[in-house]
Every structure is written in C-alpha cells, then in structure tokens.
Amino acid sequence: MSEAGDGTLLSDRIRNALTDEIASGVLAAGTSLDEQHLADRFGASRTPVREALRQLAVSGLVEMRPRRGVLVTRLTSARMMDMFETIAEVETLCVRLATYRMTPLERCRLSDLHEASKALVAARDLDGYESFNRDFHGSLYAATHNGFMAEQALAIRSRLDVFRRTQLRHEGRMAASHEEHGQVLAAIAEGDGELAARRMRAHMLNAASALGRYIADTVEG
Amino acid sequence: MSEAGDGTLLSDRIRNALTDEIASGVLAAGTSLDEQHLADRFGASRTPVREALRQLAVSGLVEMRPRRGVLVTRLTSARMMDMFETIAEVETLCVRLATYRMTPLERCRLSDLHEASKALVAARDLDGYESFNRDFHGSLYAATHNGFMAEQALAIRSRLDVFRRTQLRHEGRMAASHEEHGQVLAAIAEGDGELAARRMRAHMLNAASALGRYIADTVEG
DNA sequence: GATGATTTGTACGTATGTATA
DNA sequence: ATATACATACGTACAAATCAT
C-alpha cells in the first residue's frame, strides 16, 4: 500500500487540489493556468497536469482555448444567476422526492443533524455551519434514493461553493438559514412534499438574494 | 483559419468520435478500450487518446480503473431508471419555465416544428423523427432562457440517446409521441405552465415505459 | 509586419503495477 | 508462489502555434 491521498493517480490528486483552490477562491476567476508552472508547483511533469486540466474543463471549472492556454472560468452575473436558479430548482425537486422516499432512519439522522447545527449558529461558527450545510443538503439528495440525480445535484452545487461561503457571511443569514431548514424539515415530517419543495425553493432564493449585492460588486455582467 | 473538423485538437476529435460511438451503441457497454488500439485506429499517439478518455470519464461515459484500463460504462437497470427519472423531472422543470418565458417567436418556431413532424410520423421516418425530437426538446431547453439549465438537460439527455432511438421503434410509439407533444404545446399556448409540466412528465414516463421491456431484456440489474 | 520567446500539442520511451501462466 | 507478459502512468523530447517585442 502506498496511498498518499485519495486516488493513487497523480492527475487525480492534482485535479482535486486545483478543484479546491478554485472553489475556495485561491485561484480567482480569470486566472490563467500555465501547465509548466503547475507542474513545477506539484513537482510533477506536464502530462498529469494536462490530464487534470482536461477533466476540470469538462466539469466547467476551467476553460480551454486550443493552443491558447487554460483559464479559470469567469462567470458573468447572468450565468451565475442561471446556475443559482438551476440548483434551486434541482434542490426543490430533490426535496419533493425525498419527502416521499426517505426512510425513518434517514429522517431521524437529518433531524439530528439539524438539531446539532443550532450550536454552530450560536457559536457563529462559519466553517462548521458551512460543513453542516453541505451535509444537510447532501443528505436530502441521497434521500431521493436516486443516485444519478444525487450526483447531478452535488456536481452543480459544488460549482457554487465558492459563493455559498460568502453568502453565509451576511448579517443574520446563518440564523435565517437554520430557521428555513427547520421549516423544510417540518414539511417533510408532515409528509407534504409540495410544501417542503416550496419552502426549499424559498430557502434557496433567500440564499441567492443574500448574494445579490456580492455578485453585482464582484462580477461584471 | 484552418479548421479540420469541429475542434482543431486531436484529443477533441477523438473524444467526439468516441462519444458518438458510445451513444450510438457501436461501442457497447462493458467494452474495454485499449489506448494503443484506439491510437492506431485514429492514427494518433496514445497521448491524445488518454486525454479524450479522461474527459469521457468525467462525463461518465467510461469508467477508468487506475492501472487496470478503461471500459465503456455498464449501466445497471436501476441506474438507467434513475437517469430516466432525472431527465423526466428536468424536462418537466424546463417546460414549466419555458411556458412562462418563451418569446412569441420561439413559440411559433416550436409549433412549426411540431406541425412538420406530422409528415415524419406518417412516413414512419424513424431517423427523421428522432432528429426532430432532439430539436423539439432542445428548443424547450433553450426557451427556459437559462443557458446553464439547458446545458445540463442536454448533457443528461445525450447520455440516454442510445436508448431513446430504440424506444421509438415500439409499435405506435412515434404517433403517441407526436400526440403527447401536441398536448404539451396546447398547455404552453394556454400559458399553463403547471399543466404543460404535468403533460411533459407523462410524456417522458410513457417514453420510459416503452423501454421497460427492452431494459429488462438487455441490461442485467 | 517580421522575429524571437514562450507555451501548447503530440509523440515516444521507460517504469510501475496488474493480470496470467 | 514465482515469474512472465502486458497495459497503464508518468516523464521527456520535439514540433507547431501564439504572443510579445
């Protein structure tokens, strides 16, 4: 055995590292990525770096212009709104399905998760809440018992993580998020999928709204 | 200017070719893809082939087992159903949005497309109807005026194209499809997004049902 | 507009790890 | 169980195109 990270492939490790750096904002949108430079940085040759970049291009995190290099995808505000609307609708869809399909155990686990998050809100633990939030929504995807849909939802969501963190910074947003989660859970408990769906959509739109100014300030349309 | 094909990159051309071959069923599920063999087939070296395979792996068309080769993804019947449910729900979603957002011009074009398809049904032109069908649904994606959502829908749909053709072969399915399209259009004309959505979901589930036996026969669960 | 530097795209070689006899 | 065969993973080298001057 000789695992260094998750995948034993260099290109996978590089891809994961770059994914994190893009998602966390370390690699800002528009940054051009030089293959040789990255190779040096990771102590590898250009080959695995190129493979990683190709993969990132498919997931849409970077843009490759043939023979002109690769840059971190720069999102227009219109496209960001499109992405937010899409994930909002997909989450809405997932919650509706999850309401009708989740097992008692899953419902219980989700409820526990939600309860535990109360402490994070009180402690104003941004990182902790962000992590919980991912779990919360991820649990709902899983509860659709549709693996493919869950994957799609996760993939879209991960592309918005950069901004999600920022959103929680807004005054009172964390507490509001917690409250909205509670409303969704209540609807699920009643077995009312449509209500849960509507509340989830509202929750997502609130999160998006909290970002409105940020987006306007940061990205040129 | 010096375009040879679509993308001027060898790896892109190889990726597109392989995508087509997998989608059309020429490369059956479970087929193992040998880098050297593919390189010979395309008259290239293994490098661009590898890059193409990496991209296909991200889109989920092939599976790469580190140091153990790559094979065309073999779908279980459960996963195929997951995919069908997902695209059905996404289409449902798209139609609802499209109803409220499409321009008169778009509505007119879609209607024309639908009318023209009548001839294809009468002529039992399977290829022609399949092509029309892609356009019809594609137009609806576009009519959401949400580019990101449209891309997602298209990506999912393309992964099911292999089976979609088969489905239309069923006795009377083409005529039924045409009729269902008409019902969806009628709801759109009335501006009733919810009705259009319900009818689209029914349309998609009918298409999936037509595949039920095929799936049971072809794929082991 | 031409030339040089930098960087991408492709080819090829070697080593490591997996499967098989 | 050991060894052989083979395909992949990574590195290096060269060619071609872009860009900077």
Side-chain angles (χ1 to χ4, degrees):
Chain A
M1 300 208 186
S2 66
E3 286 93 86
D6 0 346
T8 157
L9 259 51
L10 234 184
S11 55
D12 284 349
R13 286 213 300 273
I14 295 174
R15 175 175 51 73
N16 289 334
L18 289 176
T19 300
D20 287 347
E21 293 184 6
I22 292 172
S24 67
V26 173
L27 258 41
T31 307
S32 84
L33 301 174
D34 181 68
E35 291 180 3
Q36 188 60 52
H37 183 248
L38 289 174
D40 295 344
R41 225 161 72 58
F42 288 105
S45 80
R46 281 177 48 220
T47 309
V49 170
R50 276 184 65 82
E51 293 183 350
L53 292 176
R54 289 319 257 265
Q55 294 179 265
L56 294 177
V58 174
S59 8
L61 275 84
V62 304
E63 228 168 318
M64 295 191 84
R65 290 140 349 143
R67 314 200 103 96
R68 297 184 61 190
V70 34
L71 31 151
V72 179
T73 303
R74 192 195 301 271
L75 300 173
T76 64
S77 63
R79 186 161 180 88
M80 276 178 55
M81 282 308 181
D82 281 359
M83 293 176 71
F84 271 111
E85 178 174 69
T86 303
I87 189 63
E89 292 292 346
V90 169
E91 294 252 2
T92 298
L93 170 57
C94 285
V95 160
R96 179 161 52 73
L97 290 180
T99 299
Y100 302 126
R101 297 181 184 175
M102 77 197 305
T103 66
L105 179 61
E106 286 170 333
R107 212 155 27 224
C108 182
R109 288 255 172 79
L110 191 63
S111 194
D112 289 351
L113 210 57
H114 175 63
E115 285 306 317
S117 78
K118 213 181 294 188
L120 299 171
V121 177
R124 298 179 183 281
D125 180 351
L126 196 81
D127 288 332
Y129 193 84
E130 163 63 16
S131 169
F132 147 77
N133 201 35
R134 226 194 314 273
D135 287 350
F136 182 84
H137 287 270
S139 298
L140 283 172
Y141 305 156
T144 60
H145 292 266
N146 181 325
F148 184 78
M149 196 181 293
E151 284 170 28
Q152 299 295 314
L154 211 63
I156 299 174
R157 174 165 251 270
S158 68
R159 288 183 60 178
L160 288 166
D161 274 353
V162 210
F163 312 108
R164 207 171 298 280
R165 268 188 65 78
T166 311
Q167 166 253 331
L168 286 170
R169 287 216 152 77
H170 279 66
E171 191 52 46
R173 183 64 203 126
M174 219 162 83
S177 168
H178 178 80
E179 171 65 19
E180 290 158 14
H181 283 176
Q183 295 294 317
V184 171
L185 285 185
I188 291 175
E190 292 173 26
D192 190 338
E194 294 305 325
L195 181 62
R198 284 201 304 278
R199 286 179 175 171
M200 178 56 89
R201 183 184 284 119
H203 171 56
M204 297 300 290
L205 293 183
N206 285 338
S209 295
L211 269 169
R213 176 168 307 223
Y214 172 79
I215 291 173
D217 289 353
T218 306
V219 188
E220 84 279 46
Chain B
M1 289 188 202
S2 67
E3 288 91 81
D6 355 355
T8 160
L9 256 52
L10 237 183
S11 53
D12 284 348
R13 286 212 297 274
I14 295 174
R15 174 174 51 75
N16 289 334
L18 290 177
T19 300
D20 287 348
E21 293 184 8
I22 293 172
S24 68
V26 174
L27 257 43
T31 307
S32 84
L33 301 174
D34 181 68
E35 289 181 4
Q36 187 62 56
H37 184 248
L38 289 174
D40 295 344
R41 225 161 73 59
F42 288 105
S45 80
R46 282 173 40 222
T47 309
V49 170
R50 275 184 64 80
E51 294 187 352
L53 291 176
R54 286 320 246 272
Q55 297 187 44
L56 294 177
V58 173
S59 23
L61 274 85
V62 303
E63 229 167 318
M64 297 191 82
R65 292 148 335 152
R67 296 186 184 274
R68 295 184 61 192
V70 35
L71 33 150
V72 178
T73 303
R74 193 194 302 271
L75 300 172
T76 64
S77 62
R79 185 160 180 88
M80 276 179 54
M81 283 307 181
D82 281 358
M83 293 175 72
F84 272 111
E85 178 172 70
T86 303
I87 189 63
E89 292 292 347
V90 169
E91 294 251 4
T92 298
L93 170 57
C94 284
V95 160
R96 180 161 52 74
L97 290 181
T99 299
Y100 301 126
R101 296 181 185 176
M102 77 196 307
T103 66
L105 180 62
E106 285 171 333
R107 211 151 33 219
C108 182
R109 288 252 174 80
L110 191 63
S111 194
D112 288 352
L113 209 59
H114 175 62
E115 285 306 317
S117 77
K118 213 182 292 187
L120 298 171
V121 177
R124 298 180 182 280
D125 180 352
L126 195 81
D127 289 332
Y129 193 83
E130 163 63 16
S131 170
F132 148 76
N133 201 35
R134 224 195 315 274
D135 287 350
F136 182 85
H137 288 270
S139 298
L140 283 172
Y141 304 156
T144 61
H145 292 264
N146 181 325
F148 184 79
M149 196 181 293
E151 283 169 29
Q152 299 295 313
L154 212 63
I156 298 173
R157 174 165 251 268
S158 68
R159 287 184 62 179
L160 288 166
D161 272 355
V162 212
F163 312 109
R164 206 171 299 279
R165 269 187 64 78
T166 311
Q167 165 254 330
L168 286 170
R169 286 215 153 77
H170 279 65
E171 191 54 47
R173 183 64 202 128
M174 218 161 84
S177 169
H178 178 80
E179 169 66 16
E180 289 159 15
H181 283 176
Q183 295 294 317
V184 171
L185 285 185
I188 290 176
E190 292 173 26
D192 190 338
E194 294 304 326
L195 181 61
R198 285 201 303 277
R199 287 178 174 170
M200 177 58 88
R201 182 183 283 121
H203 171 55
M204 297 299 291
L205 293 184
N206 285 338
S209 295
L211 270 169
R213 176 166 310 222
Y214 172 79
I215 291 172
D217 289 353
T218 306
V219 188
E220 84 279 45

